[in-house]
Amino acid sequence: MTVDSFCVMNSRATPVALWRTGLLLSFLSLSACLEQDCVLGIMGRPVSVPCFYPEILTYGNFSIEWRRNDELVLRTEWEEDVNMGVWSMNSAKISTDAALTGNLSLELPTVDPTDDKMYYRLFLISVENQSAPLCTVCLRIAASFSSPLLQRQEAAPGDETAFLCHSSGGFPEPAVHWLINDTEEPPEGSVRTLAASLPDSHLYNVTSHLTLNVSKDSRVSCIIENQSMNQTLTSTSYGVQSNTVVGRASQAMWIFSTGLCVVVGIMVMVGVAYQIHLDRISKRRKDEYHDQRSNRGYRRRHLYDKEAEAMKPQPKETDV
Ligand SMILES: *[C@@H]1O[C@H](CO)[C@@H](O)[C@H](O)[C@H]1NC(C)=O
Ligand SMILES: *[C@@H]1O[C@H](CO)[C@@H](O)[C@H](O)[C@H]1NC(C)=O
Ligand SMILES: *[C@@H]1O[C@H](CO)[C@@H](O)[C@H](O)[C@H]1NC(C)=O
Ligand SMILES: *[C@@H]1O[C@H](CO)[C@@H](O)[C@H](O)[C@H]1NC(C)=O
Ligand SMILES: *[C@@H]1O[C@H](CO)[C@@H](O)[C@H](O)[C@H]1NC(C)=O
Ligand SMILES: *[C@@H]1O[C@H](CO)[C@@H](O)[C@H](O)[C@H]1NC(C)=O
C-alpha cells in the first residue's frame, strides 16, 4: 500500500481561505496528485485509507468527518476521549481508540470502481470553525481480468489470419499487446482493440482483433496488462506447430534411418569386397604353393627318372 504523502502535506499546508476560494490551486494540486501513487484498493476487498494525526491527543472534545470528494462518509465525535457514536455510510469504520492513538484511518469494508480516483479527506470539526482537511488520500481501484481467451481463425492460403482475444471483468482499462513468435510486434493497423465498460459494475470487457499474414506454425500471443495491479495475463496460440514438430521429427527419423541404411550397406559392401580380396589372396597363395610343390616334385621325379635311366643298363646293347 502506498500513501500519497505529497498530497497529504500539500493540502494540509493550504490555508483555509485558499482552500475555500482558490479552486484553481486546489484543482492544480489535485491534478498533481493524480500523477502520484495513490492507495490501491482491490475490488471486493477491504481497504484502509490512512490518516495519522497525533495532535488529536491534545484535544478534549472534537468531531471528525471523513468525506469522499464532497460526500459525507463518516462522522463521529469524542468527549473527553470517549467516543460518542459513529454515523457512517456503507459500513465504513474508524478505530474506536483513535483519540488515544492518533490513528484516524478510515476502514472501507469493500471498494468498487466507483471509488476510483476519489479523494478521501478527513476534517476536524472543532467548536470554533471547520478547518482544512487533516488528511487527503486518493484511492485507485483495480480488479483482476479473466485469463484471456484467444481464438485463431485460419484462412485460405494467401489470405490473412484473424485472431480474437477476449478478457472480462477487470479494472481499469488494460493495455493490450500482441506478440508474434514471442518477439515481433504486429504491424501498425493490424490490431483493433475495444474495451467496453459494463454498465452495472463499471468493470471492463476487452476484445482485441489482430489480422495479419502469418505462417500456420507461428506462435501468436495476446497480452493483457493491468498496470495498476502489476498483472500480466498472456494467452498463446501455437497454430499447427505441434503437428509440424511431429512432422519434422519423423522427417529427421527418416533421414537418420536412410543414412544408417546407406552406411550399413557401404560397410557390408566393403566387408564383402575385403573378404573377396582376402579369398583371392589366399587362393593365389595356395595355388602358388601348390605350383611350387608340384614343380619341385616334377623336377625331382624328372631327376630321379634321369638317374634311373642313366643307371639302367642298356639292354639293347647287351642284347645286341
Ligand atoms: C467537553 O464536553 C463536555 C460536555 O459537553 C463538557 O462538560 C466539557 O467541559 C467539555 N470539555 C472541554 C475540554 O471542552
Ligand atoms: C491504523 O488503523 C487501521 C485500522 O483502523 C489499521 O489498519 C492500521 O494498521 C493502523 N495503523 C497503524 C500504523 O497502527
Ligand atoms: C478559526 O478561524 C479563524 C478565522 O477564520 C482562525 O483565525 C482560527 O485560527 C481558526 N481556528 C482553528 C482552530 O482553526
Ligand atoms: C497478405 O497476403 C496476401 C496474398 O499473399 C496479399 O494480397 C496481402 O496484401 C497481404 N497482406 C498484407 C497486410 O501484407
Ligand atoms: C463481458 O464478458 C463476459 C464474459 O466473456 C460476457 O459473459 C458478457 O456478456 C460480456 N459483457 C459485455 C457487455 O460485453
Ligand atoms: C510487479 O511484480 C513483480 C513480481 O510479483 C515484482 O518483482 C515487481 O517489482 C512488481 N512491479 C511493480 C511496479 O510493482
Side-chain angles (χ1 to χ4, degrees), residues 143-149 166-170 204-206 224 231 233-234:
S144 174
F145 276 90
S146 69
S147 188
L149 218 89
H166 178 80
S167 177
S168 60
Y204 285 96
N205 270 11
V206 66
I224 308 275
Q231 177 189 47
L233 300 164
T234 306

Side-chain angles (χ1 to χ4, degrees), residues 126 128-129 131:
S126 62
E128 304 115 74
N129 44 23
S131 63

Side-chain angles (χ1 to χ4, degrees), residues 48 52 103 105 107:
S48 173
F52 252 95
N103 182 358
S105 304
E107 287 173 76

